[in-house]
Amino acid sequence: MIEKIQKLFSPENPLILASKSPQRRRIFEMMGIAFRVVHSEFQEIIAPHLSPEKNAERFALGKAAEVSARFPDSVVVGVDTLVVSDEGVILGKPDGEDHAKEMFLNKSGKKELIISGIAIIAGKKRNVSHETSHVHFSKISKEDAQFLVNLHEWEGKSGAIAVEGKCSVYIDRIEGNFWNIVGFPVPTFFRMMEDFL
């Protein structure tokens, strides 16, 4: 299946990734799929009446649809990852060091829900889904939190998480797909792409 999907795209006809995330770029390079990045102008505003899963799907579809309108002959993939605290609060990106430290301390001994919405658009055909995983954290002291803040891996990361970085020292275990936590659920993407073969 991977080879079939790889053959759908070429440098002359690449898949379009509606995301500027460097992690997602690296994942697509790893998958060996010809792609190009096009930033979406879609504005992400949480709808309080919707579940985090539905918000993630809505954001992914909004990003993909905005880019697809500009590139109607291409296959466009939109993705959005939300981090939900143990208390059920959707966590955004830290707005500074103090905010990042607060987030790290709040993770201590708790678990967080990671949701990636994913949308694929090819012309009039659309496929929208999501993947969920849980991250369980070990105890994080004030000194640990300051150490993590000083690394600056939290910058630009929802919930301040960089699971593939030094933050992983404080991750006790994960439930679900690892790539979903990084920000792009690879197995989910390939299952969804079967509809376009």
mmCIF file of all heavy atoms in Angstrom, residues 115-164:
data_model
loop_
_atom_site.group_PDB
_atom_site.id
_atom_site.type_symbol
_atom_site.label_atom_id
_atom_site.label_comp_id
_atom_site.label_asym_id
_atom_site.label_seq_id
_atom_site.Cartn_x
_atom_site.Cartn_y
_atom_site.Cartn_z
ATOM 1 N N ILE A 115 -4.823 14.664 20.370
ATOM 2 C CA ILE A 115 -5.766 14.410 19.283
ATOM 3 C C ILE A 115 -5.246 15.054 18.007
ATOM 4 O O ILE A 115 -4.963 16.254 17.988
ATOM 5 C CB ILE A 115 -7.154 15.010 19.590
ATOM 6 C CG1 ILE A 115 -7.684 14.513 20.936
ATOM 7 C CG2 ILE A 115 -8.150 14.688 18.471
ATOM 8 C CD1 ILE A 115 -8.815 15.360 21.487
ATOM 9 N N SER A 116 -5.107 14.255 16.965
ATOM 10 C CA SER A 116 -4.751 14.811 15.663
ATOM 11 C C SER A 116 -5.927 14.639 14.720
ATOM 12 O O SER A 116 -6.350 13.520 14.440
ATOM 13 C CB SER A 116 -3.511 14.118 15.077
ATOM 14 O OG SER A 116 -2.352 14.488 15.777
ATOM 15 N N GLY A 117 -6.467 15.766 14.242
ATOM 16 C CA GLY A 117 -7.452 15.720 13.177
ATOM 17 C C GLY A 117 -6.715 15.685 11.856
ATOM 18 O O GLY A 117 -5.660 16.311 11.715
ATOM 19 N N ILE A 118 -7.236 14.941 10.902
ATOM 20 C CA ILE A 118 -6.601 14.858 9.589
ATOM 21 C C ILE A 118 -7.678 14.892 8.515
ATOM 22 O O ILE A 118 -8.721 14.246 8.655
ATOM 23 C CB ILE A 118 -5.707 13.599 9.472
ATOM 24 C CG1 ILE A 118 -5.029 13.537 8.106
ATOM 25 C CG2 ILE A 118 -6.470 12.335 9.755
ATOM 26 C CD1 ILE A 118 -3.898 12.511 8.061
ATOM 27 N N ALA A 119 -7.448 15.683 7.485
ATOM 28 C CA ALA A 119 -8.400 15.815 6.379
ATOM 29 C C ALA A 119 -7.643 15.697 5.062
ATOM 30 O O ALA A 119 -6.579 16.308 4.893
ATOM 31 C CB ALA A 119 -9.128 17.153 6.451
ATOM 32 N N ILE A 120 -8.197 14.920 4.145
ATOM 33 C CA ILE A 120 -7.615 14.765 2.814
ATOM 34 C C ILE A 120 -8.671 15.204 1.798
ATOM 35 O O ILE A 120 -9.808 14.734 1.843
ATOM 36 C CB ILE A 120 -7.194 13.310 2.541
ATOM 37 C CG1 ILE A 120 -6.226 12.817 3.626
ATOM 38 C CG2 ILE A 120 -6.543 13.189 1.155
ATOM 39 C CD1 ILE A 120 -5.905 11.332 3.534
ATOM 40 N N ILE A 121 -8.293 16.094 0.917
ATOM 41 C CA ILE A 121 -9.199 16.587 -0.116
ATOM 42 C C ILE A 121 -8.564 16.389 -1.485
ATOM 43 O O ILE A 121 -7.403 16.766 -1.697
ATOM 44 C CB ILE A 121 -9.535 18.078 0.084
ATOM 45 C CG1 ILE A 121 -10.256 18.299 1.419
ATOM 46 C CG2 ILE A 121 -10.414 18.591 -1.068
ATOM 47 C CD1 ILE A 121 -10.590 19.750 1.705
ATOM 48 N N ALA A 122 -9.325 15.793 -2.397
ATOM 49 C CA ALA A 122 -8.904 15.657 -3.797
ATOM 50 C C ALA A 122 -10.113 16.003 -4.654
ATOM 51 O O ALA A 122 -11.031 15.190 -4.797
ATOM 52 C CB ALA A 122 -8.420 14.239 -4.090
ATOM 53 N N GLY A 123 -10.157 17.217 -5.161
ATOM 54 C CA GLY A 123 -11.326 17.661 -5.913
ATOM 55 C C GLY A 123 -12.539 17.734 -5.003
ATOM 56 O O GLY A 123 -12.522 18.382 -3.962
ATOM 57 N N LYS A 124 -13.593 17.013 -5.378
ATOM 58 C CA LYS A 124 -14.813 17.008 -4.570
ATOM 59 C C LYS A 124 -14.811 15.910 -3.520
ATOM 60 O O LYS A 124 -15.744 15.812 -2.713
ATOM 61 C CB LYS A 124 -16.035 16.854 -5.477
ATOM 62 C CG LYS A 124 -16.266 18.048 -6.395
ATOM 63 C CD LYS A 124 -17.525 17.885 -7.224
ATOM 64 C CE LYS A 124 -17.761 19.104 -8.103
ATOM 65 N NZ LYS A 124 -18.980 18.958 -8.940
ATOM 66 N N LYS A 125 -13.767 15.083 -3.515
ATOM 67 C CA LYS A 125 -13.702 13.965 -2.571
ATOM 68 C C LYS A 125 -12.992 14.398 -1.293
ATOM 69 O O LYS A 125 -11.916 15.008 -1.345
ATOM 70 C CB LYS A 125 -12.986 12.777 -3.202
ATOM 71 C CG LYS A 125 -13.125 11.497 -2.414
ATOM 72 C CD LYS A 125 -12.659 10.304 -3.232
ATOM 73 C CE LYS A 125 -12.959 9.001 -2.508
ATOM 74 N NZ LYS A 125 -12.577 7.834 -3.328
ATOM 75 N N ARG A 126 -13.611 14.062 -0.154
ATOM 76 C CA ARG A 126 -13.035 14.427 1.133
ATOM 77 C C ARG A 126 -13.065 13.238 2.088
ATOM 78 O O ARG A 126 -13.996 12.445 2.069
ATOM 79 C CB ARG A 126 -13.819 15.586 1.776
ATOM 80 C CG ARG A 126 -13.812 16.859 0.971
ATOM 81 C CD ARG A 126 -14.575 17.970 1.670
ATOM 82 N NE ARG A 126 -14.424 19.231 0.967
ATOM 83 C CZ ARG A 126 -14.730 20.415 1.473
ATOM 84 N NH1 ARG A 126 -15.224 20.492 2.706
ATOM 85 N NH2 ARG A 126 -14.551 21.518 0.784
ATOM 86 N N ASN A 127 -12.057 13.164 2.913
ATOM 87 C CA ASN A 127 -11.998 12.137 3.952
ATOM 88 C C ASN A 127 -11.468 12.818 5.211
ATOM 89 O O ASN A 127 -10.391 13.414 5.181
ATOM 90 C CB ASN A 127 -11.093 10.980 3.525
ATOM 91 C CG ASN A 127 -11.297 9.740 4.379
ATOM 92 O OD1 ASN A 127 -11.880 9.808 5.458
ATOM 93 N ND2 ASN A 127 -10.815 8.606 3.903
ATOM 94 N N VAL A 128 -12.233 12.755 6.288
ATOM 95 C CA VAL A 128 -11.859 13.424 7.537
ATOM 96 C C VAL A 128 -11.915 12.423 8.681
ATOM 97 O O VAL A 128 -12.868 11.644 8.797
ATOM 98 C CB VAL A 128 -12.804 14.609 7.846
ATOM 99 C CG1 VAL A 128 -12.337 15.360 9.090
ATOM 100 C CG2 VAL A 128 -12.897 15.548 6.657
ATOM 101 N N SER A 129 -10.895 12.441 9.530
ATOM 102 C CA SER A 129 -10.861 11.526 10.666
ATOM 103 C C SER A 129 -9.967 12.127 11.755
ATOM 104 O O SER A 129 -9.489 13.256 11.638
ATOM 105 C CB SER A 129 -10.335 10.142 10.227
ATOM 106 O OG SER A 129 -10.500 9.202 11.276
ATOM 107 N N HIS A 130 -9.755 11.357 12.806
ATOM 108 C CA HIS A 130 -8.838 11.787 13.860
ATOM 109 C C HIS A 130 -8.235 10.575 14.548
ATOM 110 O O HIS A 130 -8.745 9.465 14.439
ATOM 111 C CB HIS A 130 -9.548 12.687 14.895
ATOM 112 C CG HIS A 130 -10.535 11.948 15.753
ATOM 113 N ND1 HIS A 130 -11.858 11.802 15.400
ATOM 114 C CD2 HIS A 130 -10.388 11.310 16.950
ATOM 115 C CE1 HIS A 130 -12.485 11.113 16.336
ATOM 116 N NE2 HIS A 130 -11.614 10.809 17.300
ATOM 117 N N GLU A 131 -7.150 10.808 15.254
ATOM 118 C CA GLU A 131 -6.468 9.771 16.026
ATOM 119 C C GLU A 131 -6.235 10.307 17.425
ATOM 120 O O GLU A 131 -5.990 11.505 17.611
ATOM 121 C CB GLU A 131 -5.133 9.414 15.363
ATOM 122 C CG GLU A 131 -4.402 8.252 16.007
ATOM 123 C CD GLU A 131 -5.143 6.936 15.855
ATOM 124 O OE1 GLU A 131 -5.377 6.519 14.702
ATOM 125 O OE2 GLU A 131 -5.493 6.352 16.895
ATOM 126 N N THR A 132 -6.328 9.435 18.423
ATOM 127 C CA THR A 132 -6.095 9.862 19.802
ATOM 128 C C THR A 132 -5.025 8.996 20.468
ATOM 129 O O THR A 132 -4.892 7.809 20.161
ATOM 130 C CB THR A 132 -7.382 9.785 20.656
ATOM 131 O OG1 THR A 132 -7.858 8.433 20.673
ATOM 132 C CG2 THR A 132 -8.463 10.697 20.088
ATOM 133 N N SER A 133 -4.265 9.610 21.339
ATOM 134 C CA SER A 133 -3.257 8.919 22.138
ATOM 135 C C SER A 133 -3.208 9.577 23.511
ATOM 136 O O SER A 133 -3.651 10.722 23.673
ATOM 137 C CB SER A 133 -1.873 9.012 21.485
ATOM 138 O OG SER A 133 -1.883 8.541 20.159
ATOM 139 N N HIS A 134 -2.677 8.860 24.488
ATOM 140 C CA HIS A 134 -2.481 9.426 25.819
ATOM 141 C C HIS A 134 -0.993 9.423 26.176
ATOM 142 O O HIS A 134 -0.277 8.460 25.869
ATOM 143 C CB HIS A 134 -3.247 8.624 26.885
ATOM 144 C CG HIS A 134 -4.716 8.934 26.926
ATOM 145 N ND1 HIS A 134 -5.650 8.180 26.269
ATOM 146 C CD2 HIS A 134 -5.399 9.932 27.552
ATOM 147 C CE1 HIS A 134 -6.863 8.678 26.478
ATOM 148 N NE2 HIS A 134 -6.741 9.743 27.252
ATOM 149 N N VAL A 135 -0.572 10.490 26.823
ATOM 150 C CA VAL A 135 0.793 10.582 27.336
ATOM 151 C C VAL A 135 0.720 10.653 28.852
ATOM 152 O O VAL A 135 0.037 11.515 29.407
ATOM 153 C CB VAL A 135 1.511 11.839 26.794
ATOM 154 C CG1 VAL A 135 2.922 11.940 27.373
ATOM 155 C CG2 VAL A 135 1.568 11.816 25.274
ATOM 156 N N HIS A 136 1.405 9.733 29.519
ATOM 157 C CA HIS A 136 1.455 9.705 30.991
ATOM 158 C C HIS A 136 2.802 10.250 31.441
ATOM 159 O O HIS A 136 3.854 9.762 31.016
ATOM 160 C CB HIS A 136 1.288 8.273 31.506
ATOM 161 C CG HIS A 136 -0.058 7.682 31.208
ATOM 162 N ND1 HIS A 136 -1.038 7.538 32.160
ATOM 163 C CD2 HIS A 136 -0.584 7.198 30.050
ATOM 164 C CE1 HIS A 136 -2.105 6.982 31.620
ATOM 165 N NE2 HIS A 136 -1.865 6.767 30.342
ATOM 166 N N PHE A 137 2.764 11.260 32.310
ATOM 167 C CA PHE A 137 3.992 11.908 32.769
ATOM 168 C C PHE A 137 4.393 11.428 34.161
ATOM 169 O O PHE A 137 3.545 11.159 35.013
ATOM 170 C CB PHE A 137 3.811 13.426 32.792
ATOM 171 C CG PHE A 137 3.656 14.038 31.430
ATOM 172 C CD1 PHE A 137 2.393 14.198 30.877
ATOM 173 C CD2 PHE A 137 4.762 14.426 30.693
ATOM 174 C CE1 PHE A 137 2.238 14.745 29.610
ATOM 175 C CE2 PHE A 137 4.615 14.967 29.429
ATOM 176 C CZ PHE A 137 3.352 15.127 28.884
ATOM 177 N N SER A 138 5.685 11.351 34.385
ATOM 178 C CA SER A 138 6.203 11.076 35.726
ATOM 179 C C SER A 138 6.209 12.390 36.510
ATOM 180 O O SER A 138 5.755 13.426 36.015
ATOM 181 C CB SER A 138 7.616 10.490 35.628
ATOM 182 O OG SER A 138 8.463 11.358 34.897
ATOM 183 N N LYS A 139 6.716 12.349 37.722
ATOM 184 C CA LYS A 139 6.750 13.559 38.551
ATOM 185 C C LYS A 139 7.711 14.588 37.941
ATOM 186 O O LYS A 139 8.804 14.239 37.481
ATOM 187 C CB LYS A 139 7.192 13.217 39.979
ATOM 188 C CG LYS A 139 6.207 12.323 40.732
ATOM 189 C CD LYS A 139 4.887 13.047 40.980
ATOM 190 C CE LYS A 139 3.920 12.186 41.790
ATOM 191 N NZ LYS A 139 2.610 12.856 41.980
ATOM 192 N N ILE A 140 7.290 15.832 37.929
ATOM 193 C CA ILE A 140 8.116 16.924 37.410
ATOM 194 C C ILE A 140 8.233 17.981 38.509
ATOM 195 O O ILE A 140 7.242 18.598 38.901
ATOM 196 C CB ILE A 140 7.495 17.542 36.140
ATOM 197 C CG1 ILE A 140 7.378 16.481 35.033
ATOM 198 C CG2 ILE A 140 8.325 18.733 35.653
ATOM 199 C CD1 ILE A 140 6.670 16.962 33.779
ATOM 200 N N SER A 141 9.443 18.175 39.017
ATOM 201 C CA SER A 141 9.680 19.149 40.086
ATOM 202 C C SER A 141 9.855 20.542 39.475
ATOM 203 O O SER A 141 9.939 20.701 38.248
ATOM 204 C CB SER A 141 10.951 18.783 40.862
ATOM 205 O OG SER A 141 12.093 18.933 40.018
ATOM 206 N N LYS A 142 9.922 21.547 40.327
ATOM 207 C CA LYS A 142 10.160 22.913 39.846
ATOM 208 C C LYS A 142 11.497 23.007 39.130
ATOM 209 O O LYS A 142 11.633 23.719 38.120
ATOM 210 C CB LYS A 142 10.102 23.896 41.023
ATOM 211 C CG LYS A 142 8.716 24.098 41.601
ATOM 212 C CD LYS A 142 8.726 25.140 42.713
ATOM 213 C CE LYS A 142 7.320 25.349 43.274
ATOM 214 N NZ LYS A 142 7.308 26.346 44.385
ATOM 215 N N GLU A 143 12.492 22.279 39.645
ATOM 216 C CA GLU A 143 13.808 22.288 39.004
ATOM 217 C C GLU A 143 13.733 21.609 37.630
ATOM 218 O O GLU A 143 14.342 22.079 36.659
ATOM 219 C CB GLU A 143 14.834 21.562 39.880
ATOM 220 C CG GLU A 143 15.186 22.277 41.180
ATOM 221 C CD GLU A 143 14.087 22.156 42.240
ATOM 222 O OE1 GLU A 143 13.211 21.258 42.121
ATOM 223 O OE2 GLU A 143 14.089 22.976 43.186
ATOM 224 N N ASP A 144 12.984 20.501 37.564
ATOM 225 C CA ASP A 144 12.798 19.812 36.279
ATOM 226 C C ASP A 144 12.113 20.731 35.272
ATOM 227 O O ASP A 144 12.512 20.809 34.104
ATOM 228 C CB ASP A 144 11.938 18.553 36.460
ATOM 229 C CG ASP A 144 12.587 17.501 37.334
ATOM 230 O OD1 ASP A 144 13.831 17.432 37.373
ATOM 231 O OD2 ASP A 144 11.839 16.750 37.990
ATOM 232 N N ALA A 145 11.066 21.418 35.728
ATOM 233 C CA ALA A 145 10.310 22.301 34.849
ATOM 234 C C ALA A 145 11.196 23.421 34.316
ATOM 235 O O ALA A 145 11.134 23.764 33.133
ATOM 236 C CB ALA A 145 9.101 22.874 35.593
ATOM 237 N N GLN A 146 12.040 23.979 35.177
ATOM 238 C CA GLN A 146 12.937 25.040 34.737
ATOM 239 C C GLN A 146 13.959 24.513 33.733
ATOM 240 O O GLN A 146 14.300 25.192 32.746
ATOM 241 C CB GLN A 146 13.656 25.665 35.934
ATOM 242 C CG GLN A 146 14.451 26.920 35.587
ATOM 243 C CD GLN A 146 13.570 28.009 34.994
ATOM 244 O OE1 GLN A 146 12.566 28.411 35.575
ATOM 245 N NE2 GLN A 146 13.942 28.509 33.804
ATOM 246 N N PHE A 147 14.432 23.287 33.971
ATOM 247 C CA PHE A 147 15.356 22.640 33.023
ATOM 248 C C PHE A 147 14.714 22.535 31.642
ATOM 249 O O PHE A 147 15.328 22.861 30.619
ATOM 250 C CB PHE A 147 15.736 21.250 33.550
ATOM 251 C CG PHE A 147 16.455 20.391 32.547
ATOM 252 C CD1 PHE A 147 17.792 20.632 32.227
ATOM 253 C CD2 PHE A 147 15.802 19.340 31.929
ATOM 254 C CE1 PHE A 147 18.454 19.830 31.291
ATOM 255 C CE2 PHE A 147 16.451 18.534 31.004
ATOM 256 C CZ PHE A 147 17.782 18.790 30.684
ATOM 257 N N LEU A 148 13.455 22.089 31.604
ATOM 258 C CA LEU A 148 12.744 21.942 30.335
ATOM 259 C C LEU A 148 12.501 23.295 29.671
ATOM 260 O O LEU A 148 12.604 23.421 28.446
ATOM 261 C CB LEU A 148 11.414 21.220 30.564
ATOM 262 C CG LEU A 148 11.534 19.741 30.956
ATOM 263 C CD1 LEU A 148 10.189 19.197 31.400
ATOM 264 C CD2 LEU A 148 12.083 18.916 29.803
ATOM 265 N N VAL A 149 12.194 24.308 30.483
ATOM 266 C CA VAL A 149 12.000 25.650 29.937
ATOM 267 C C VAL A 149 13.282 26.138 29.271
ATOM 268 O O VAL A 149 13.267 26.697 28.164
ATOM 269 C CB VAL A 149 11.565 26.632 31.043
ATOM 270 C CG1 VAL A 149 11.689 28.081 30.566
ATOM 271 C CG2 VAL A 149 10.130 26.349 31.467
ATOM 272 N N ASN A 150 14.418 25.910 29.918
ATOM 273 C CA ASN A 150 15.704 26.387 29.405
ATOM 274 C C ASN A 150 16.106 25.721 28.094
ATOM 275 O O ASN A 150 16.905 26.266 27.333
ATOM 276 C CB ASN A 150 16.805 26.171 30.448
ATOM 277 C CG ASN A 150 16.617 27.028 31.687
ATOM 278 O OD1 ASN A 150 15.869 28.008 31.671
ATOM 279 N ND2 ASN A 150 17.269 26.659 32.782
ATOM 280 N N LEU A 151 15.538 24.544 27.806
ATOM 281 C CA LEU A 151 15.846 23.841 26.558
ATOM 282 C C LEU A 151 15.190 24.504 25.350
ATOM 283 O O LEU A 151 15.642 24.325 24.220
ATOM 284 C CB LEU A 151 15.377 22.385 26.634
ATOM 285 C CG LEU A 151 16.094 21.469 27.614
ATOM 286 C CD1 LEU A 151 15.403 20.107 27.667
ATOM 287 C CD2 LEU A 151 17.559 21.303 27.204
ATOM 288 N N HIS A 152 14.094 25.204 25.595
ATOM 289 C CA HIS A 152 13.323 25.898 24.546
ATOM 290 C C HIS A 152 12.693 24.956 23.521
ATOM 291 O O HIS A 152 12.280 25.401 22.447
ATOM 292 C CB HIS A 152 14.180 26.952 23.840
ATOM 293 C CG HIS A 152 14.555 28.096 24.740
ATOM 294 N ND1 HIS A 152 13.695 29.132 25.023
ATOM 295 C CD2 HIS A 152 15.688 28.328 25.441
ATOM 296 C CE1 HIS A 152 14.295 29.983 25.854
ATOM 297 N NE2 HIS A 152 15.501 29.515 26.128
ATOM 298 N N GLU A 153 12.604 23.669 23.843
ATOM 299 C CA GLU A 153 11.913 22.743 22.939
ATOM 300 C C GLU A 153 10.411 23.002 22.914
ATOM 301 O O GLU A 153 9.735 22.571 21.990
ATOM 302 C CB GLU A 153 12.158 21.291 23.373
ATOM 303 C CG GLU A 153 13.567 20.802 23.157
ATOM 304 C CD GLU A 153 13.756 19.347 23.581
ATOM 305 O OE1 GLU A 153 12.920 18.843 24.360
ATOM 306 O OE2 GLU A 153 14.724 18.726 23.132
ATOM 307 N N TRP A 154 9.907 23.689 23.904
ATOM 308 C CA TRP A 154 8.475 23.961 24.033
ATOM 309 C C TRP A 154 7.983 25.021 23.062
ATOM 310 O O TRP A 154 6.780 25.128 22.823
ATOM 311 C CB TRP A 154 8.169 24.430 25.463
ATOM 312 C CG TRP A 154 9.047 25.558 25.918
ATOM 313 C CD1 TRP A 154 10.237 25.458 26.577
ATOM 314 C CD2 TRP A 154 8.819 26.964 25.731
ATOM 315 N NE1 TRP A 154 10.763 26.705 26.828
ATOM 316 C CE2 TRP A 154 9.911 27.643 26.311
ATOM 317 C CE3 TRP A 154 7.801 27.704 25.138
ATOM 318 C CZ2 TRP A 154 10.029 29.027 26.312
ATOM 319 C CZ3 TRP A 154 7.900 29.093 25.124
ATOM 320 C CH2 TRP A 154 9.008 29.736 25.716
ATOM 321 N N GLU A 155 8.879 25.792 22.492
ATOM 322 C CA GLU A 155 8.466 26.909 21.643
ATOM 323 C C GLU A 155 7.705 26.418 20.407
ATOM 324 O O GLU A 155 8.190 25.561 19.668
ATOM 325 C CB GLU A 155 9.676 27.745 21.235
ATOM 326 C CG GLU A 155 10.312 28.466 22.411
ATOM 327 C CD GLU A 155 11.535 29.273 22.025
ATOM 328 O OE1 GLU A 155 12.004 29.123 20.876
ATOM 329 O OE2 GLU A 155 12.022 30.042 22.860
ATOM 330 N N GLY A 156 6.508 26.951 20.215
ATOM 331 C CA GLY A 156 5.704 26.577 19.063
ATOM 332 C C GLY A 156 5.022 25.231 19.175
ATOM 333 O O GLY A 156 4.446 24.739 18.209
ATOM 334 N N LYS A 157 5.047 24.615 20.373
ATOM 335 C CA LYS A 157 4.461 23.294 20.568
ATOM 336 C C LYS A 157 3.177 23.396 21.403
ATOM 337 O O LYS A 157 3.187 23.962 22.486
ATOM 338 C CB LYS A 157 5.444 22.364 21.302
ATOM 339 C CG LYS A 157 6.802 22.196 20.647
ATOM 340 C CD LYS A 157 6.725 21.353 19.409
ATOM 341 C CE LYS A 157 8.088 20.876 18.948
ATOM 342 N NZ LYS A 157 9.141 21.887 18.887
ATOM 343 N N SER A 158 2.109 22.826 20.902
ATOM 344 C CA SER A 158 0.865 22.774 21.681
ATOM 345 C C SER A 158 1.102 21.995 22.957
ATOM 346 O O SER A 158 1.646 20.890 22.932
ATOM 347 C CB SER A 158 -0.243 22.098 20.858
ATOM 348 O OG SER A 158 -0.600 22.890 19.757
ATOM 349 N N GLY A 159 0.707 22.568 24.074
ATOM 350 C CA GLY A 159 0.907 21.909 25.357
ATOM 351 C C GLY A 159 2.347 21.842 25.798
ATOM 352 O O GLY A 159 2.671 21.197 26.795
ATOM 353 N N ALA A 160 3.248 22.487 25.069
ATOM 354 C CA ALA A 160 4.690 22.533 25.369
ATOM 355 C C ALA A 160 5.376 21.185 25.193
ATOM 356 O O ALA A 160 6.512 21.009 25.612
ATOM 357 C CB ALA A 160 4.939 23.070 26.792
ATOM 358 N N ILE A 161 4.693 20.232 24.572
ATOM 359 C CA ILE A 161 5.246 18.878 24.426
ATOM 360 C C ILE A 161 6.132 18.760 23.197
ATOM 361 O O ILE A 161 5.761 19.185 22.113
ATOM 362 C CB ILE A 161 4.121 17.834 24.297
ATOM 363 C CG1 ILE A 161 3.419 17.609 25.616
ATOM 364 C CG2 ILE A 161 4.667 16.504 23.844
ATOM 365 C CD1 ILE A 161 2.386 16.495 25.542
ATOM 366 N N ALA A 162 7.305 18.156 23.389
ATOM 367 C CA ALA A 162 8.156 17.715 22.283
ATOM 368 C C ALA A 162 8.539 16.278 22.613
ATOM 369 O O ALA A 162 9.613 16.012 23.140
ATOM 370 C CB ALA A 162 9.395 18.594 22.144
ATOM 371 N N VAL A 163 7.631 15.351 22.322
ATOM 372 C CA VAL A 163 7.799 13.970 22.777
ATOM 373 C C VAL A 163 9.063 13.332 22.221
ATOM 374 O O VAL A 163 9.625 12.419 22.822
ATOM 375 C CB VAL A 163 6.548 13.130 22.418
ATOM 376 C CG1 VAL A 163 6.440 12.916 20.915
ATOM 377 C CG2 VAL A 163 6.540 11.794 23.151
ATOM 378 N N GLU A 164 9.525 13.827 21.064
ATOM 379 C CA GLU A 164 10.730 13.261 20.464
ATOM 380 C C GLU A 164 11.998 13.930 20.994
ATOM 381 O O GLU A 164 13.110 13.588 20.590
ATOM 382 C CB GLU A 164 10.667 13.383 18.933
ATOM 383 C CG GLU A 164 10.825 14.789 18.386
ATOM 384 C CD GLU A 164 9.549 15.611 18.420
ATOM 385 O OE1 GLU A 164 8.637 15.314 19.208
ATOM 386 O OE2 GLU A 164 9.476 16.588 17.661
#
